Amino acid sequence: MTDTVFRASRILTPDGEVAGWVAVDDGVITEISDSPLTGRDTVELADDEVLLPGLVDTHVHVNDPGRTEWEGFETATRAAAAGGITTLVDMPLNSVPPTTDLAALAVKRATARGRVHVDVGFWGGAVPGNLGDLVALHEAGVFGFKCFLPPSGVDEFANLAPDELAAVLRLLHGIGALTIVHAEDPARITEATGRHYADFLASRPRAAENTAIAQLVSLASAADARVHVLHLSSAEALPVIAAARRDGVAITAETCPHYLTLRAEDVPDGATEFKCCPPIREAANQDLLWQGLADGTIDCVVSDHSPSTADLKRFDTGDFGAAWGGIAGLQLGLPAMWTEARARGVPLERVVGWMSAAPADLVGLRRKGRLAVGHDADLCVFAPEHSFTVDAGRLHHRNPVSAYHGRTLTGVVRSTWLRGEPVTGRPRGRLLVRGLA
């Protein structure tokens, strides 16, 4: 007899949707059957619920330590669990210190230990002057290295010049490490001030992304390095990425729920909760991003959860130039995506694949992201036909700021399970090391 059995009329497996039973023993899925299974505990899903694999979010700014008033491990991982996410990978900024050397990684892990409600891994950072730290960070188990081509927005995490990025790519190719890149060309970004969203959008045009991604492709090809484009916003870059792959460049790309569900035409002037970099673009661009997902040019969908305190959003003036750029969307990614996908006729299994298996594969999490035998029993109970209206004040994020506030979304996460146990008030998450999870 196994520890727990889940019974559901809809179970989303890698082979498609089935009805039946899922057995869990010692935190691992041991059997999926269309015949009855028995366990010490049985969890019966309601007829309106679907059993999904726990989502994997590889782009989260927890901001802890140093800027815990912006978020923090406890609140971020509670929000993640409430959104059906069972694994996240924390970005090397905007914490202080940033995760750019072994000492900073030790501080990060010590800060997170015992406080996380889901499993958490860590990215390292590549900044000017820390080339000599990257091998040690890789050996310590970070999942790869993030860098910026434009200024990052925080002084302690400087951007790389093209020759610096080339040196990083050569080094990381030699040790088989992944480089993830915020790709916007700083020469094509202008300063925008004022309340008009159209002015902010014009200050970070698609050309800034297109040029930077083309440069990244050239550098990656020369170094034979593996690279990943973060938070793709410009659909005009999709042919460049597709062509690079045909030419043998090891390049992948992600986009985010806010680029796939929010539209520039709908952003009111002064509504700085919508500010992010690169920016939310027009509806026609969004349609092409969905096509890029459908044809596989875009690999995965992750949150780029980048929160701040409300005062940094400058709601007092509504000045897009002065406001912090970042969308707080960790808890709402699945319902936001499913609401839009449903309207477009995209099946739930594709949405879940983009948000679970694909990001797990990106970072080499072999036991995550799939509801399959031998994988961790990280599960989400989801009611896809039920709707709710977002109230930013009731989210688990530390600060009540959300670009989705007041929106009606379809799809409710009813419970989340980590290694076969429900995520409740006691932190049970583990700190993950690349290659061992």
Side-chain angles (χ1 to χ4, degrees), residues 70-104:
W70 292 18
E71 189 61 273
F73 282 106
E74 190 170 358
T75 52
T77 56
R78 276 206 309 264
I85 297 164
T86 50
T87 303
L88 64 84
V89 186
D90 174 51
M91 283 290 165
L93 74 161
N94 301 303
S95 57
V96 181
T99 316
T100 53
D101 58 33
L102 279 179

Side-chain angles (χ1 to χ4, degrees), residues 55-62 72-73 75-81 85-91 116-123 143 303 305 330 363 365 368 430 432:
L55 305 186
V56 177
D57 192 339
T58 53
H59 195 149
V60 180
H61 295 268
V62 178
F73 282 106
T75 52
T77 56
R78 276 206 309 264
I85 297 164
T86 50
T87 303
L88 64 84
V89 186
D90 174 51
M91 283 290 165
V116 295
H117 296 269
V118 301
D119 288 353
V120 175
F122 302 96
W123 294 106
F143 283 83
S303 70
H305 178 67
L330 187 61
V363 296
L365 288 167
K368 304 289 188 182
R430 296 176 180 171
L432 304 179

Side-chain angles (χ1 to χ4, degrees), residues 67-336:
R67 291 191 175 97
T68 312
E69 71 274 14
W70 292 18
E71 189 61 273
F73 282 106
E74 190 170 358
T75 52
T77 56
R78 276 206 309 264
I85 297 164
T86 50
T87 303
L88 64 84
V89 186
D90 174 51
M91 283 290 165
L93 74 161
N94 301 303
S95 57
V96 181
T99 316
T100 53
D101 58 33
L102 279 179
L105 177 62
V107 170
K108 177 81 77 169
R109 285 175 168 162
T111 303
R113 192 168 290 113
R115 297 176 54 215
V116 295
H117 296 269
V118 301
D119 288 353
V120 175
F122 302 96
W123 294 106
V127 297
N130 84 326
L131 195 65
D133 294 297
L134 302 186
V135 172
L137 280 167
H138 176 74
E139 291 175 347
V142 299
F143 283 83
F145 296 89
K146 175 165 187 185
C147 65
F148 276 76
L149 299 185
S152 72
V154 292
D155 293 340
E156 67 275 2
F157 201 96
N159 55 309
L160 296 179
D163 61 330
E164 293 170 321
L165 175 58
V168 166
L169 292 177
R170 288 193 296 270
L171 174 69
L172 296 184
H173 165 67
I175 59 175
L178 173 64
T179 308
I180 63 175
V181 184
H182 182 130
E184 288 181 282
D185 181 359
R188 292 178 178 266
I189 297 172
T190 59
E191 186 175 354
T193 60
R195 295 174 53 83
H196 299 306
Y197 184 74
D199 292 341
F200 170 67
L201 181 59
S203 76
R204 302 185 87 105
R206 286 188 288 272
E209 284 188 88
N210 305 340
T211 303
I213 290 169
Q215 182 181 60
L216 176 62
V217 166
S218 177
L219 294 172
S221 178
D224 194 23
R226 181 180 170 217
V227 295
H228 178 71
V229 177
L230 296 167
H231 45 49
L232 181 68
S233 156
S234 171
E236 290 177 358
L238 291 170
V240 176
I241 294 169
R245 285 182 182 163
R246 289 194 297 271
D247 292 341
V249 178
I251 185 170
T252 50
E254 70 185 35
T255 193
C256 307
H258 43 276
Y259 299 130
L260 296 166
T261 66
L262 305 175
R263 301 165 183 86
E265 294 92 334
D266 300 329
V267 178
D269 286 345
T272 54
E273 64 268 30
F274 290 90
K275 179 182 176 180
C276 57
C277 301
I280 294 163
R281 303 194 187 277
E282 303 86 350
N285 181 83
Q286 183 180 97
D287 291 341
L288 294 173
L289 290 178
W290 277 96
Q291 289 183 28
L293 272 171
D295 66 26
T297 306
I298 300 173
D299 299 270
C300 56
V301 178
V302 292
S303 70
D304 188 13
H305 178 67
S306 185
S308 72
T309 54
D311 62 300
L312 292 177
K313 279 296 190 180
R314 296 308 303 269
F315 295 130
D316 55 338
T317 65
D319 185 340
F320 279 95
W324 174 259
I327 300 292
L330 187 61
Q331 186 172 334
L332 299 172
L334 177 57

Side-chain angles (χ1 to χ4, degrees), residues 361-423:
D361 290 347
L362 173 72
V363 296
L365 288 167
R366 298 185 299 270
R367 296 165 60 94
K368 304 289 188 182
R370 290 174 173 83
L371 203 166
V373 172
H375 281 62
D376 287 350
D378 298 346
L379 305 169
C380 168
V381 176
F382 186 62
E385 303 304 320
H386 286 248
S387 299
F388 67 102
T389 300
V390 177
D391 180 350
R394 301 188 66 183
L395 299 174
H396 289 280
H397 308 154
R398 184 177 297 278
N399 293 285
V401 176
S402 174
Y404 299 98
H405 178 72
R407 287 177 173 260
T408 298
L409 301 179
T410 300
V412 174
V413 174
R414 291 196 170 151
S415 64
T416 302
W417 299 69
L418 183 66
R419 290 184 299 279
E421 298 287 339
V423 178

